[in-house]
Amino acid sequence: MADSESIPMNERRGSSDQTQGHSLLSESCCPVSWGHFGNSSREIVRNSRHSRYTQIQNFCNKVLCWRFKVWMLILLPIVILITIIIVIFGIRATPFDDDFIDPKLKIYGIPRYYVGSMKISKHSFTPELMIPQSKNYLYLSKVLKMMLCQLYNKSPALGYYFVDSDVFSFSHGSVTAYFWLQFAMPEEHDLLVKYTLSVEMLSNALRQQLYTDGMAKNMEVEPSSITLQLAKEGYVQSLKTGQCVFRVLLLSKEQTFNSLRLVNCNKNSSNYWLVQGKNNHSIKTIISTEGEGSVCTDVNVTMYNTWVPGSQQIVSKFNQTGLPIDHEVIIPGNMLLVTFSRPGECDLSQFSITFLQILMAECGGVLDGTNGSFTSPGYPNAHQEKINCTWNLKVQEHFRAIILFREFKLGGSPTSGGSCESDYLEIDGQRFCGDHKPFSFYSNSSSLQITFHSSKKYMQSFAADYIITDGNSTKSHS
């Protein structure tokens, strides 16, 4: 106890205060200090991570991203191009038979027929081409048939309706091929006939294809020579089967057939005669029957100056009523189609037909003498297409010419301005066209030029006589 040291109360109190202070510091100060240190650490870590992310982002932007953008710029056009190619091939691979086109249309559709012609420069005509069984005929017709079928089948608009085509004859000169076309139509076809299957549409489509088709170029087909007409079903069906069709190549001046009865021809079927003469010749045709009592009392006979018949190509048309007939007509040109539409009980055995070849009359020339005459080529029948004839009439000085037109029927009419442009007769600069009653023309000089111009083919024609008078004659024009 003696050795023990007493501690002053104040020191104890101070020590106690210190202990209490330390306790308070432990309870109050230390938590605040460590919490502040924790927040600072987290903020440092966060800033460090953000700094690293920023560095990575900057590196990506500077190095990687621009490379990615470059590749995207390169690949994007390629992807677009591939997509377009896939779409195109998908469209081309789509079959024609869609919701609007009946796949059975070509079988059960309403048939529509056309006949046409085209010139082939590469080949020359031989008599073999008038014989369907000859090698030349079979070869050339097969090639042209293949060409026509391919051209129309691959047409986006016409391929839906095209059924078939074939060549049925050839004519001489630069070989002209004659063909038929068959299309099929739905029941509602008014607009189709007016636009898609119109003659103009089919002709233009064929011409356009011929300009680019390799086979057509090898054959030297002339696109500008294409002609096309709507045809009757009976005509094309006979051409397809060969029944009721008779082909005649006139090699002599005159050829007669005493009976027109054709074998392998069904009742109520029309008969078709395809006649071809020499170049620069017209065909005079005489159709006659035997005496009265013929059973053929209602036969319609129509003659065309082409094998592509249309209403404007009719040269002559008449009906046989049972009485004897002797019908004669001159066809301008060397092509003739004669059709006989007959009742079932008539076999045409009492009919006969004669073809005579006549050298075509000269067009134009010199008119001399005190009188004479001149006419349109082929008068009294139709004049030819696209011709120009000029006659020169010269008389002595102080004399004049009087031209008397006994017939003047050129067809057509003057234009709205009163001028004649298509078919006309021009005398000393004054034009006449249309139809006129007989009239006279008086010349004002001793020389006279008469020009006949035609751009189309008409049944009408003209005939005139002229006389020469002295200059004191009364001048008038009526």
Side-chain angles (χ1 to χ4, degrees), residues 32 88 155 247 347:
V32 173
I88 291 175
S155 171
R247 294 174 171 85
D347 61 3

Side-chain angles (χ1 to χ4, degrees), residues 291-317:
E292 298 184 14
S294 172
V295 295
C296 298
T297 57
D298 192 20
V299 178
N300 293 309
V301 182
T302 308
M303 288 183 274
Y304 305 85
N305 55 11
T306 177
W307 296 343
V308 184
S311 58
Q312 294 186 349
Q313 286 75 38
I314 295 177
V315 177
S316 179
K317 186 175 183 179

Side-chain angles (χ1 to χ4, degrees), residues 262-383:
L262 298 179
V263 296
N264 298 326
C265 191
N266 297 327
K267 291 183 177 181
N268 297 316
S269 298
S270 297
N271 288 15
Y272 303 94
W273 289 67
L274 280 63
V275 186
Q276 182 175 181
K278 297 179 181 179
N279 286 330
N280 301 320
H281 283 71
S282 298
I283 302 176
K284 183 177 181 180
T285 307
I286 304 173
I287 300 176
S288 58
T289 60
E290 298 178 358
E292 298 184 14
S294 172
V295 295
C296 298
T297 57
D298 192 20
V299 178
N300 293 309
V301 182
T302 308
M303 288 183 274
Y304 305 85
N305 55 11
T306 177
W307 296 343
V308 184
S311 58
Q312 294 186 349
Q313 286 75 38
I314 295 177
V315 177
S316 179
K317 186 175 183 179
F318 65 93
N319 179 265
Q320 201 274 338
T321 60
L323 299 175
I325 61 170
D326 192 8
H327 188 81
E328 179 179 322
V329 64
I330 298 177
I331 308 298
N334 64 336
M335 305 293 295
L336 171 64
L337 170 64
V338 186
T339 67
F340 294 89
S341 300
R342 58 192 179 85
E345 64 274 10
C346 178
D347 61 3
L348 300 179
S349 60
Q350 296 177 334
F351 279 73
S352 66
I353 188 169
T354 299
F355 303 109
L356 296 95
Q357 298 194 81
I358 302 173
L359 188 64
M360 289 184 181
E362 294 183 0
C363 178
V366 177
L367 302 176
D368 53 13
T370 58
N371 60 77
S373 63
F374 61 97
T375 66
S376 56
Y379 178 84
N381 297 296
H383 58 74

Side-chain angles (χ1 to χ4, degrees), residues 181-201:
L181 304 172
Q182 180 180 348
F183 292 83
M185 304 182 299
E187 293 184 1
E188 300 293 333
H189 56 262
D190 292 343
L191 292 178
L192 186 68
V193 170
K194 187 176 181 180
Y195 298 105
T196 306
L197 295 184
S198 66
V199 171
E200 293 77 13
M201 177 67 174

Side-chain angles (χ1 to χ4, degrees), residues 77-124:
I78 297 176
V79 172
I80 294 174
L81 180 61
I82 294 174
T83 304
I84 293 173
I85 293 174
I86 292 174
V87 171
I88 291 175
F89 275 94
I91 293 174
R92 291 179 63 89
T94 302
F96 285 133
D97 299 326
D98 54 21
D99 295 337
F100 301 98
I101 302 297
D102 185 354
K104 298 181 180 180
L105 177 66
K106 294 185 178 183
I107 301 175
Y108 302 106
I110 301 172
R112 187 172 177 86
Y113 299 96
Y114 303 83
V115 290
S117 65
M118 55 186 171
K119 289 185 179 181
I120 308 170
S121 303
K122 187 175 182 179
H123 293 265
S124 298

